Amino acid sequence: MDLLNGFATVLLPLNLLFAAVGVTIGTLVGVLPGIGPALTIALLLPITFNFDDPIGAFIMFAGIYYGAMYGGSTTSILLNTPGESASVATAIEGHEMAKRGRARAALATAAIGSFVAGVISTLLLAFVAKPIGELAVKFQAADYFALAVLAMVSVTALLGTSLVRGLISLVLGLFLGLVGLDSVSGQLRFTFGAPVLTEGIGITIVIVGLFAIGEVLYAASRVRNGSDEIAPLEKAPLRTGYLSREDWRRSWRPWLRGAAIGFPFGALPAGGAEVPTFLSYTFEKRRAERAGRDDFGKGAIEGVAGPEAANNASFSGVLVPLLTLGLPTSATAAVMLAAFQIFNLQPGPQLFQTSSDLVWALIASLFVGNVLLLVLNLPLIQVWVKVLEVPRPVLYSGILVLATLGVYSLSGNVLQVFLAYGIGVLGYFMRRYGFPIAPVVLGVILGPMTETQLRRALVISDGSFTAIVTRPLTLVILVLAVVSLVLPYVRRGKKLAFADED
Amino acid sequence: MTRFRSGEPVFGLVLVTLGVVALTQVWVIRGDWSVSGPRLVPLVVCTAWVLLAAVYVAQTVRSSAPGEGFDRTPLYLIATLIGYAYIVIPLGYIISTALSFVLTTRILGSRSLLRDVVIGVLLALALYLGFTSLLSIRLPRGVLPL
């Protein structure tokens, strides 16, 4: 019933227009090599300033997100330059398919798979969000603290190859999150006497700095070493020629399996899309090997269909902890949270009571975004390919201009622009020496929340740490956090095996 | 240039140094050391920073493979960006954006100046007009009589 009301809101002509504009801009920016959904949303955040009503803004965001994600798959398939770790799995088989003249089929199975998985997982989101929100009301400060620790630690442990590098990334993020006014005591921390730091370092500045400026600086140091090869798009006169009957037969099961893997993994507080996409890829590969086929690594369509579906489904999953607990578990979710805060909305258990219209409109707009994505993107693929042909110097200069504009228009302050450049330099060196970027973002966004909840829990227990360890739920979550730190070491052989296989 | 050949331990040392600086700043925070006070978490975070960075330095020194040579392109780019941020208010958004766009495309190895100038000017104009009139976000007008 709530969902139907949501649809009633979204299907207003103006909101449909917002959704369509969002999908188009999102794809346009997402197609640019090296730009993932999180950065796309961060760059486009200033647009929301013009909305009086958050519903329109969030409808547009849903469109932008789906567009950016699909644009990212397009780049991964045609160029083999995944803009975020969640499209790495897609790039493996997708680019192989493109090199063998099957780019259209790869793009089509990615788009239709995203659509199928998006619809299924959004339905699941609609069913579980409210019950979990009601459950979350019972959570105490100590539980929130433990959940946030679990989210940060597990993402750090699961990404990248070096635990020390991952933890340094996380600690740097936590530090950036500490800068500014302490919300509990009202004291200034780490401002070094600079007034610009009093309000803290905004998440969008961190994301634009790390992802846009850091990425361009890094790409710049390698841009002279030859250019990428764009896989040509084969001529296909008929729209129905995207997927053959054989392709459909081989794709539909991986789509469903991808959705089944993606949603629950995304919904875990240890969420994100990296794990489910790789799980889906490995799963499809194993199945193919067991069936006696050896086309994985040579452009197997299952290797595109599964991970793309998992990627899309995990986003709806990530919305579960974001909307019900206020707990973002991916960079994109962190920017979404920043967008909520622009409209003075605080995601969490109360959101379903205070802004139930908005939540259901958001969920409904995910369906609409999925449909529009399919309707717009399959026919427009030629246009997106043109975007890929933009010369690299022009592209990177353009990204720098947009990044600067994004920071400036958000703050109206040149000092914030300098701050973003500084973070960009940090991001450059982190990339250069193999530090994962996502833990920084999670540290910045989750750090303050973790600290507030910890101190709240400690105040309740009169400063005794036993309160945290004696509550069973809190303890279980903390133990899980420790396990996720240790696990990659225990199973290291297996983790490395994945990288070795291809 | 050889100084940068194995830049990784250097980066590690910079991280350690910055961590130590941050750690000293914990004592600058006004407040007490109570578990719910404003100093505890910063102390934990900064200590972890210094320790982890030290472990990282130890690791990189032990496996000090000769790194790739240092490319100056990022350096030139960041210098251009800083210049851009300095001139954007006095010169205005359009001129400074077009200028820095052309300069960065040069740094990135573009060879068609005319194309870059045309794109730079059009981009700056489009963004300025789009943001000021469509999104009502004010951008520095500068010296141009707009």
Side-chain angles (χ1 to χ4, degrees), chain A residues 50 165 171 182 185 187 189-190 192 221 224 397 414 421 433 451 455, chain B residues 7-8 22 30 36-38 41 49 71 81 85 104-105 107 134-135:
Chain A
N50 228 31
R165 284 184 176 82
V171 166
D182 169 30
S185 68
Q187 297 297 339
R189 300 195 290 192
F190 303 116
F192 301 92
S221 59
R224 290 164 195 270
S397 302
V414 179
Y421 290 165
Y433 298 125
E451 188 194 4
R455 283 160 72 179
Chain B
E8 209 170 358
R30 265 188 248 161
S36 53
V41 173
W49 177 353
D71 183 6
L81 285 177
T104 46
T105 47
I107 294 170
L134 286 180
L135 299 176

PDB file of all heavy atoms in Angstrom, chain A residues 50 165 171 182 185 187 189-190 192 221 224 397 414 421 433 451 455, chain B residues 7-8 22 30 36-38 41 49 71 81 85 104-105 107 134-135:
ATOM      1  N   ASN A  50      18.812  23.040  -5.883  1.00  0.00           N
ATOM      2  CA  ASN A  50      17.712  23.760  -6.498  1.00  0.00           C
ATOM      3  C   ASN A  50      16.351  23.149  -6.186  1.00  0.00           C
ATOM      4  O   ASN A  50      15.332  23.719  -6.510  1.00  0.00           O
ATOM      5  CB  ASN A  50      17.931  23.811  -8.003  1.00  0.00           C
ATOM      6  CG  ASN A  50      17.743  25.196  -8.539  1.00  0.00           C
ATOM      7  OD1 ASN A  50      18.020  26.161  -7.827  1.00  0.00           O
ATOM      8  ND2 ASN A  50      17.241  25.295  -9.751  1.00  0.00           N
ATOM      9  N   ARG A 165      47.946  -1.817   4.588  1.00  0.00           N
ATOM     10  CA  ARG A 165      47.536  -0.683   3.756  1.00  0.00           C
ATOM     11  C   ARG A 165      46.075  -0.351   3.975  1.00  0.00           C
ATOM     12  O   ARG A 165      45.699   0.811   4.113  1.00  0.00           O
ATOM     13  CB  ARG A 165      47.786  -0.993   2.286  1.00  0.00           C
ATOM     14  CG  ARG A 165      49.249  -0.897   1.880  1.00  0.00           C
ATOM     15  CD  ARG A 165      49.348  -1.126   0.371  1.00  0.00           C
ATOM     16  NE  ARG A 165      50.691  -0.972  -0.125  1.00  0.00           N
ATOM     17  CZ  ARG A 165      51.613  -1.914  -0.067  1.00  0.00           C
ATOM     18  NH1 ARG A 165      51.331  -3.080   0.485  1.00  0.00           N
ATOM     19  NH2 ARG A 165      52.823  -1.710  -0.560  1.00  0.00           N
ATOM     20  N   VAL A 171      42.324   4.329   8.982  1.00  0.00           N
ATOM     21  CA  VAL A 171      42.726   5.251  10.048  1.00  0.00           C
ATOM     22  C   VAL A 171      42.782   6.687   9.505  1.00  0.00           C
ATOM     23  O   VAL A 171      42.343   7.630  10.165  1.00  0.00           O
ATOM     24  CB  VAL A 171      44.083   4.820  10.635  1.00  0.00           C
ATOM     25  CG1 VAL A 171      44.676   5.928  11.469  1.00  0.00           C
ATOM     26  CG2 VAL A 171      43.911   3.579  11.488  1.00  0.00           C
ATOM     27  N   ASP A 182      33.673  18.804  17.797  1.00  0.00           N
ATOM     28  CA  ASP A 182      33.193  17.554  18.372  1.00  0.00           C
ATOM     29  C   ASP A 182      31.729  17.728  18.748  1.00  0.00           C
ATOM     30  O   ASP A 182      31.377  18.617  19.519  1.00  0.00           O
ATOM     31  CB  ASP A 182      34.046  17.216  19.607  1.00  0.00           C
ATOM     32  CG  ASP A 182      33.445  16.076  20.404  1.00  0.00           C
ATOM     33  OD1 ASP A 182      32.781  15.221  19.791  1.00  0.00           O
ATOM     34  OD2 ASP A 182      33.641  16.040  21.626  1.00  0.00           O
ATOM     35  N   SER A 185      31.066  17.280  22.879  1.00  0.00           N
ATOM     36  CA  SER A 185      31.582  18.245  23.858  1.00  0.00           C
ATOM     37  C   SER A 185      31.644  19.663  23.306  1.00  0.00           C
ATOM     38  O   SER A 185      31.827  20.607  24.053  1.00  0.00           O
ATOM     39  CB  SER A 185      32.982  17.825  24.309  1.00  0.00           C
ATOM     40  OG  SER A 185      33.884  17.971  23.230  1.00  0.00           O
ATOM     41  N   GLN A 187      34.004  20.820  21.518  1.00  0.00           N
ATOM     42  CA  GLN A 187      35.396  21.260  21.428  1.00  0.00           C
ATOM     43  C   GLN A 187      35.914  21.134  19.996  1.00  0.00           C
ATOM     44  O   GLN A 187      35.466  20.267  19.241  1.00  0.00           O
ATOM     45  CB  GLN A 187      36.291  20.419  22.353  1.00  0.00           C
ATOM     46  CG  GLN A 187      35.960  20.547  23.813  1.00  0.00           C
ATOM     47  CD  GLN A 187      36.173  21.958  24.319  1.00  0.00           C
ATOM     48  OE1 GLN A 187      36.903  22.743  23.728  1.00  0.00           O
ATOM     49  NE2 GLN A 187      35.521  22.282  25.421  1.00  0.00           N
ATOM     50  N   ARG A 189      38.671  20.044  17.287  1.00  0.00           N
ATOM     51  CA  ARG A 189      39.707  19.017  17.230  1.00  0.00           C
ATOM     52  C   ARG A 189      40.432  19.090  15.890  1.00  0.00           C
ATOM     53  O   ARG A 189      39.812  19.138  14.832  1.00  0.00           O
ATOM     54  CB  ARG A 189      39.075  17.632  17.411  1.00  0.00           C
ATOM     55  CG  ARG A 189      38.356  17.535  18.750  1.00  0.00           C
ATOM     56  CD  ARG A 189      38.046  16.136  19.121  1.00  0.00           C
ATOM     57  NE  ARG A 189      37.007  15.535  18.286  1.00  0.00           N
ATOM     58  CZ  ARG A 189      36.417  14.382  18.592  1.00  0.00           C
ATOM     59  NH1 ARG A 189      36.806  13.704  19.653  1.00  0.00           N
ATOM     60  NH2 ARG A 189      35.480  13.898  17.826  1.00  0.00           N
ATOM     61  N   PHE A 190      41.746  19.038  15.949  1.00  0.00           N
ATOM     62  CA  PHE A 190      42.599  18.970  14.751  1.00  0.00           C
ATOM     63  C   PHE A 190      42.292  20.061  13.731  1.00  0.00           C
ATOM     64  O   PHE A 190      42.327  19.813  12.528  1.00  0.00           O
ATOM     65  CB  PHE A 190      42.483  17.604  14.074  1.00  0.00           C
ATOM     66  CG  PHE A 190      42.825  16.463  14.962  1.00  0.00           C
ATOM     67  CD1 PHE A 190      41.873  15.510  15.312  1.00  0.00           C
ATOM     68  CD2 PHE A 190      44.108  16.320  15.461  1.00  0.00           C
ATOM     69  CE1 PHE A 190      42.198  14.450  16.134  1.00  0.00           C
ATOM     70  CE2 PHE A 190      44.438  15.252  16.282  1.00  0.00           C
ATOM     71  CZ  PHE A 190      43.483  14.323  16.622  1.00  0.00           C
ATOM     72  N   PHE A 192      43.990  22.922  13.657  1.00  0.00           N
ATOM     73  CA  PHE A 192      45.253  23.635  13.427  1.00  0.00           C
ATOM     74  C   PHE A 192      45.020  25.135  13.314  1.00  0.00           C
ATOM     75  O   PHE A 192      45.680  25.830  12.553  1.00  0.00           O
ATOM     76  CB  PHE A 192      45.976  23.102  12.182  1.00  0.00           C
ATOM     77  CG  PHE A 192      46.302  21.643  12.271  1.00  0.00           C
ATOM     78  CD1 PHE A 192      45.416  20.682  11.785  1.00  0.00           C
ATOM     79  CD2 PHE A 192      47.487  21.212  12.868  1.00  0.00           C
ATOM     80  CE1 PHE A 192      45.716  19.329  11.891  1.00  0.00           C
ATOM     81  CE2 PHE A 192      47.780  19.868  12.972  1.00  0.00           C
ATOM     82  CZ  PHE A 192      46.892  18.928  12.484  1.00  0.00           C
ATOM     83  N   SER A 221      49.962  10.413 -14.756  1.00  0.00           N
ATOM     84  CA  SER A 221      51.329   9.912 -14.754  1.00  0.00           C
ATOM     85  C   SER A 221      51.483   8.730 -15.697  1.00  0.00           C
ATOM     86  O   SER A 221      52.590   8.275 -15.957  1.00  0.00           O
ATOM     87  CB  SER A 221      51.745   9.531 -13.335  1.00  0.00           C
ATOM     88  OG  SER A 221      50.882   8.545 -12.840  1.00  0.00           O
ATOM     89  N   ARG A 224      50.731   9.147 -20.908  1.00  0.00           N
ATOM     90  CA  ARG A 224      51.621   9.186 -22.062  1.00  0.00           C
ATOM     91  C   ARG A 224      52.033   7.803 -22.537  1.00  0.00           C
ATOM     92  O   ARG A 224      52.515   7.630 -23.643  1.00  0.00           O
ATOM     93  CB  ARG A 224      52.876   9.984 -21.720  1.00  0.00           C
ATOM     94  CG  ARG A 224      52.599  11.471 -21.561  1.00  0.00           C
ATOM     95  CD  ARG A 224      53.762  12.122 -20.857  1.00  0.00           C
ATOM     96  NE  ARG A 224      53.428  13.457 -20.358  1.00  0.00           N
ATOM     97  CZ  ARG A 224      53.599  14.564 -21.056  1.00  0.00           C
ATOM     98  NH1 ARG A 224      54.080  14.507 -22.261  1.00  0.00           N
ATOM     99  NH2 ARG A 224      53.278  15.716 -20.554  1.00  0.00           N
ATOM    100  N   SER A 397      41.099  16.903 -18.189  1.00  0.00           N
ATOM    101  CA  SER A 397      40.979  18.334 -17.858  1.00  0.00           C
ATOM    102  C   SER A 397      39.544  18.656 -17.494  1.00  0.00           C
ATOM    103  O   SER A 397      39.287  19.419 -16.556  1.00  0.00           O
ATOM    104  CB  SER A 397      41.421  19.188 -19.039  1.00  0.00           C
ATOM    105  OG  SER A 397      42.738  18.879 -19.403  1.00  0.00           O
ATOM    106  N   VAL A 414      36.801  29.083  -1.605  1.00  0.00           N
ATOM    107  CA  VAL A 414      37.982  28.603  -2.329  1.00  0.00           C
ATOM    108  C   VAL A 414      38.873  27.740  -1.424  1.00  0.00           C
ATOM    109  O   VAL A 414      39.549  26.832  -1.895  1.00  0.00           O
ATOM    110  CB  VAL A 414      38.770  29.795  -2.916  1.00  0.00           C
ATOM    111  CG1 VAL A 414      40.004  29.319  -3.650  1.00  0.00           C
ATOM    112  CG2 VAL A 414      37.896  30.578  -3.871  1.00  0.00           C
ATOM    113  N   TYR A 421      42.014  19.629  -3.163  1.00  0.00           N
ATOM    114  CA  TYR A 421      43.252  19.357  -3.903  1.00  0.00           C
ATOM    115  C   TYR A 421      44.237  18.597  -3.018  1.00  0.00           C
ATOM    116  O   TYR A 421      44.899  17.652  -3.467  1.00  0.00           O
ATOM    117  CB  TYR A 421      43.894  20.666  -4.375  1.00  0.00           C
ATOM    118  CG  TYR A 421      43.135  21.384  -5.470  1.00  0.00           C
ATOM    119  CD1 TYR A 421      43.417  22.719  -5.771  1.00  0.00           C
ATOM    120  CD2 TYR A 421      42.156  20.739  -6.220  1.00  0.00           C
ATOM    121  CE1 TYR A 421      42.719  23.400  -6.774  1.00  0.00           C
ATOM    122  CE2 TYR A 421      41.464  21.409  -7.209  1.00  0.00           C
ATOM    123  CZ  TYR A 421      41.748  22.735  -7.483  1.00  0.00           C
ATOM    124  OH  TYR A 421      41.071  23.399  -8.471  1.00  0.00           O
ATOM    125  N   TYR A 433      50.760   3.688  -4.482  1.00  0.00           N
ATOM    126  CA  TYR A 433      51.356   2.643  -3.662  1.00  0.00           C
ATOM    127  C   TYR A 433      50.360   1.586  -3.212  1.00  0.00           C
ATOM    128  O   TYR A 433      50.598   0.875  -2.236  1.00  0.00           O
ATOM    129  CB  TYR A 433      52.061   3.281  -2.454  1.00  0.00           C
ATOM    130  CG  TYR A 433      53.186   4.197  -2.884  1.00  0.00           C
ATOM    131  CD1 TYR A 433      53.247   5.510  -2.484  1.00  0.00           C
ATOM    132  CD2 TYR A 433      54.181   3.717  -3.747  1.00  0.00           C
ATOM    133  CE1 TYR A 433      54.265   6.347  -2.904  1.00  0.00           C
ATOM    134  CE2 TYR A 433      55.197   4.539  -4.178  1.00  0.00           C
ATOM    135  CZ  TYR A 433      55.243   5.856  -3.763  1.00  0.00           C
ATOM    136  OH  TYR A 433      56.244   6.665  -4.193  1.00  0.00           O
ATOM    137  N   GLU A 451      32.059   7.013  16.970  1.00  0.00           N
ATOM    138  CA  GLU A 451      32.519   7.654  18.197  1.00  0.00           C
ATOM    139  C   GLU A 451      31.351   8.127  19.054  1.00  0.00           C
ATOM    140  O   GLU A 451      31.320   7.897  20.273  1.00  0.00           O
ATOM    141  CB  GLU A 451      33.425   8.845  17.864  1.00  0.00           C
ATOM    142  CG  GLU A 451      34.084   9.414  19.098  1.00  0.00           C
ATOM    143  CD  GLU A 451      34.703  10.777  18.883  1.00  0.00           C
ATOM    144  OE1 GLU A 451      34.570  11.337  17.786  1.00  0.00           O
ATOM    145  OE2 GLU A 451      35.318  11.274  19.827  1.00  0.00           O
ATOM    146  N   ARG A 455      30.605   6.804  22.822  1.00  0.00           N
ATOM    147  CA  ARG A 455      30.600   7.674  23.996  1.00  0.00           C
ATOM    148  C   ARG A 455      29.233   7.696  24.660  1.00  0.00           C
ATOM    149  O   ARG A 455      29.125   7.757  25.876  1.00  0.00           O
ATOM    150  CB  ARG A 455      31.043   9.077  23.587  1.00  0.00           C
ATOM    151  CG  ARG A 455      32.561   9.125  23.401  1.00  0.00           C
ATOM    152  CD  ARG A 455      33.005  10.272  22.570  1.00  0.00           C
ATOM    153  NE  ARG A 455      32.878  11.542  23.252  1.00  0.00           N
ATOM    154  CZ  ARG A 455      33.248  12.699  22.693  1.00  0.00           C
ATOM    155  NH1 ARG A 455      33.769  12.698  21.488  1.00  0.00           N
ATOM    156  NH2 ARG A 455      33.110  13.817  23.343  1.00  0.00           N
TER     157      ARG A 455
ATOM    158  N   GLY B   7      60.201   5.384  -3.864  1.00  0.00           N
ATOM    159  CA  GLY B   7      59.433   6.386  -3.143  1.00  0.00           C
ATOM    160  C   GLY B   7      58.563   5.817  -2.050  1.00  0.00           C
ATOM    161  O   GLY B   7      58.082   6.557  -1.199  1.00  0.00           O
ATOM    162  N   GLU B   8      58.360   4.510  -2.054  1.00  0.00           N
ATOM    163  CA  GLU B   8      57.403   3.944  -1.120  1.00  0.00           C
ATOM    164  C   GLU B   8      57.804   4.129   0.347  1.00  0.00           C
ATOM    165  O   GLU B   8      56.984   4.571   1.147  1.00  0.00           O
ATOM    166  CB  GLU B   8      57.148   2.474  -1.444  1.00  0.00           C
ATOM    167  CG  GLU B   8      55.771   2.076  -1.043  1.00  0.00           C
ATOM    168  CD  GLU B   8      55.362   0.707  -1.548  1.00  0.00           C
ATOM    169  OE1 GLU B   8      56.155   0.073  -2.258  1.00  0.00           O
ATOM    170  OE2 GLU B   8      54.249   0.284  -1.201  1.00  0.00           O
ATOM    171  N   ALA B  22      49.846  14.690  14.155  1.00  0.00           N
ATOM    172  CA  ALA B  22      48.441  14.574  14.556  1.00  0.00           C
ATOM    173  C   ALA B  22      48.340  14.158  16.028  1.00  0.00           C
ATOM    174  O   ALA B  22      47.515  14.675  16.772  1.00  0.00           O
ATOM    175  CB  ALA B  22      47.726  13.567  13.664  1.00  0.00           C
ATOM    176  N   ARG B  30      40.807  20.783  23.958  1.00  0.00           N
ATOM    177  CA  ARG B  30      40.396  21.115  25.320  1.00  0.00           C
ATOM    178  C   ARG B  30      39.461  20.026  25.834  1.00  0.00           C
ATOM    179  O   ARG B  30      38.550  19.605  25.123  1.00  0.00           O
ATOM    180  CB  ARG B  30      39.678  22.467  25.323  1.00  0.00           C
ATOM    181  CG  ARG B  30      40.639  23.598  25.670  1.00  0.00           C
ATOM    182  CD  ARG B  30      39.876  24.879  25.853  1.00  0.00           C
ATOM    183  NE  ARG B  30      40.222  25.794  24.783  1.00  0.00           N
ATOM    184  CZ  ARG B  30      39.481  26.834  24.461  1.00  0.00           C
ATOM    185  NH1 ARG B  30      38.338  27.038  25.062  1.00  0.00           N
ATOM    186  NH2 ARG B  30      39.871  27.640  23.501  1.00  0.00           N
ATOM    187  N   SER B  36      34.390   9.231  27.957  1.00  0.00           N
ATOM    188  CA  SER B  36      33.382   9.825  27.090  1.00  0.00           C
ATOM    189  C   SER B  36      33.773  11.250  26.686  1.00  0.00           C
ATOM    190  O   SER B  36      32.959  11.975  26.138  1.00  0.00           O
ATOM    191  CB  SER B  36      32.021   9.830  27.795  1.00  0.00           C
ATOM    192  OG  SER B  36      32.146  10.452  29.058  1.00  0.00           O
ATOM    193  N   GLY B  37      35.016  11.642  26.944  1.00  0.00           N
ATOM    194  CA  GLY B  37      35.478  12.979  26.612  1.00  0.00           C
ATOM    195  C   GLY B  37      35.943  13.066  25.171  1.00  0.00           C
ATOM    196  O   GLY B  37      35.961  12.066  24.442  1.00  0.00           O
ATOM    197  N   PRO B  38      36.342  14.260  24.729  1.00  0.00           N
ATOM    198  CA  PRO B  38      36.699  14.462  23.325  1.00  0.00           C
ATOM    199  C   PRO B  38      38.113  14.007  22.957  1.00  0.00           C
ATOM    200  O   PRO B  38      38.498  14.128  21.799  1.00  0.00           O
ATOM    201  CB  PRO B  38      36.569  15.979  23.152  1.00  0.00           C
ATOM    202  CG  PRO B  38      36.807  16.528  24.497  1.00  0.00           C
ATOM    203  CD  PRO B  38      36.332  15.510  25.495  1.00  0.00           C
ATOM    204  N   VAL B  41      39.033   9.044  21.701  1.00  0.00           N
ATOM    205  CA  VAL B  41      39.017   8.459  20.353  1.00  0.00           C
ATOM    206  C   VAL B  41      40.143   9.033  19.482  1.00  0.00           C
ATOM    207  O   VAL B  41      40.844   8.278  18.805  1.00  0.00           O
ATOM    208  CB  VAL B  41      37.629   8.622  19.714  1.00  0.00           C
ATOM    209  CG1 VAL B  41      37.641   8.184  18.261  1.00  0.00           C
ATOM    210  CG2 VAL B  41      36.599   7.821  20.487  1.00  0.00           C
ATOM    211  N   TRP B  49      47.396   5.125  13.862  1.00  0.00           N
ATOM    212  CA  TRP B  49      47.981   5.696  12.634  1.00  0.00           C
ATOM    213  C   TRP B  49      49.502   5.552  12.674  1.00  0.00           C
ATOM    214  O   TRP B  49      50.113   4.996  11.753  1.00  0.00           O
ATOM    215  CB  TRP B  49      47.543   7.156  12.531  1.00  0.00           C
ATOM    216  CG  TRP B  49      48.097   7.919  11.373  1.00  0.00           C
ATOM    217  CD1 TRP B  49      49.051   7.509  10.479  1.00  0.00           C
ATOM    218  CD2 TRP B  49      47.716   9.251  10.984  1.00  0.00           C
ATOM    219  NE1 TRP B  49      49.293   8.499   9.570  1.00  0.00           N
ATOM    220  CE2 TRP B  49      48.499   9.573   9.845  1.00  0.00           C
ATOM    221  CE3 TRP B  49      46.821  10.196  11.477  1.00  0.00           C
ATOM    222  CZ2 TRP B  49      48.384  10.809   9.211  1.00  0.00           C
ATOM    223  CZ3 TRP B  49      46.709  11.409  10.837  1.00  0.00           C
ATOM    224  CH2 TRP B  49      47.477  11.707   9.719  1.00  0.00           C
ATOM    225  N   ASP B  71      57.352  10.571 -12.384  1.00  0.00           N
ATOM    226  CA  ASP B  71      56.851  11.380 -13.485  1.00  0.00           C
ATOM    227  C   ASP B  71      56.395  12.724 -12.935  1.00  0.00           C
ATOM    228  O   ASP B  71      55.708  12.782 -11.931  1.00  0.00           O
ATOM    229  CB  ASP B  71      55.692  10.640 -14.166  1.00  0.00           C
ATOM    230  CG  ASP B  71      55.175  11.392 -15.367  1.00  0.00           C
ATOM    231  OD1 ASP B  71      55.785  12.423 -15.728  1.00  0.00           O
ATOM    232  OD2 ASP B  71      54.176  10.961 -15.953  1.00  0.00           O
ATOM    233  N   LEU B  81      46.363  23.548 -10.808  1.00  0.00           N
ATOM    234  CA  LEU B  81      45.117  23.616 -10.047  1.00  0.00           C
ATOM    235  C   LEU B  81      45.200  24.677  -8.959  1.00  0.00           C
ATOM    236  O   LEU B  81      44.253  25.439  -8.746  1.00  0.00           O
ATOM    237  CB  LEU B  81      44.817  22.250  -9.422  1.00  0.00           C
ATOM    238  CG  LEU B  81      44.304  21.177 -10.379  1.00  0.00           C
ATOM    239  CD1 LEU B  81      44.108  19.862  -9.649  1.00  0.00           C
ATOM    240  CD2 LEU B  81      42.996  21.612 -11.027  1.00  0.00           C
ATOM    241  N   ALA B  85      42.842  27.971  -8.489  1.00  0.00           N
ATOM    242  CA  ALA B  85      42.069  28.368  -7.304  1.00  0.00           C
ATOM    243  C   ALA B  85      42.422  29.797  -6.871  1.00  0.00           C
ATOM    244  O   ALA B  85      41.585  30.503  -6.309  1.00  0.00           O
ATOM    245  CB  ALA B  85      42.306  27.383  -6.167  1.00  0.00           C
ATOM    246  N   THR B 104      45.953  22.453 -18.575  1.00  0.00           N
ATOM    247  CA  THR B 104      46.017  21.046 -18.169  1.00  0.00           C
ATOM    248  C   THR B 104      46.011  20.112 -19.380  1.00  0.00           C
ATOM    249  O   THR B 104      46.710  19.108 -19.383  1.00  0.00           O
ATOM    250  CB  THR B 104      44.856  20.661 -17.226  1.00  0.00           C
ATOM    251  OG1 THR B 104      43.639  21.164 -17.747  1.00  0.00           O
ATOM    252  CG2 THR B 104      45.068  21.207 -15.837  1.00  0.00           C
ATOM    253  N   THR B 105      45.264  20.469 -20.435  1.00  0.00           N
ATOM    254  CA  THR B 105      45.296  19.605 -21.613  1.00  0.00           C
ATOM    255  C   THR B 105      46.709  19.581 -22.212  1.00  0.00           C
ATOM    256  O   THR B 105      47.182  18.536 -22.636  1.00  0.00           O
ATOM    257  CB  THR B 105      44.313  20.064 -22.707  1.00  0.00           C
ATOM    258  OG1 THR B 105      44.471  21.467 -22.887  1.00  0.00           O
ATOM    259  CG2 THR B 105      42.895  19.759 -22.337  1.00  0.00           C
ATOM    260  N   ILE B 107      49.523  20.001 -20.480  1.00  0.00           N
ATOM    261  CA  ILE B 107      50.341  19.188 -19.577  1.00  0.00           C
ATOM    262  C   ILE B 107      50.089  17.705 -19.840  1.00  0.00           C
ATOM    263  O   ILE B 107      50.991  16.880 -19.801  1.00  0.00           O
ATOM    264  CB  ILE B 107      50.029  19.539 -18.106  1.00  0.00           C
ATOM    265  CG1 ILE B 107      50.470  20.969 -17.808  1.00  0.00           C
ATOM    266  CG2 ILE B 107      50.700  18.572 -17.152  1.00  0.00           C
ATOM    267  CD1 ILE B 107      49.990  21.495 -16.479  1.00  0.00           C
ATOM    268  N   LEU B 134      20.505  28.431 -14.475  1.00  0.00           N
ATOM    269  CA  LEU B 134      19.614  27.281 -14.284  1.00  0.00           C
ATOM    270  C   LEU B 134      19.575  26.833 -12.831  1.00  0.00           C
ATOM    271  O   LEU B 134      18.534  26.509 -12.295  1.00  0.00           O
ATOM    272  CB  LEU B 134      20.052  26.110 -15.175  1.00  0.00           C
ATOM    273  CG  LEU B 134      19.754  26.231 -16.659  1.00  0.00           C
ATOM    274  CD1 LEU B 134      20.256  25.006 -17.399  1.00  0.00           C
ATOM    275  CD2 LEU B 134      18.253  26.389 -16.873  1.00  0.00           C
ATOM    276  N   LEU B 135      20.741  26.769 -12.181  1.00  0.00           N
ATOM    277  CA  LEU B 135      20.782  26.249 -10.812  1.00  0.00           C
ATOM    278  C   LEU B 135      20.845  27.355  -9.766  1.00  0.00           C
ATOM    279  O   LEU B 135      20.855  27.086  -8.579  1.00  0.00           O
ATOM    280  CB  LEU B 135      21.992  25.323 -10.642  1.00  0.00           C
ATOM    281  CG  LEU B 135      22.038  24.080 -11.532  1.00  0.00           C
ATOM    282  CD1 LEU B 135      23.320  23.323 -11.330  1.00  0.00           C
ATOM    283  CD2 LEU B 135      20.861  23.174 -11.208  1.00  0.00           C
TER     284      LEU B 135
END
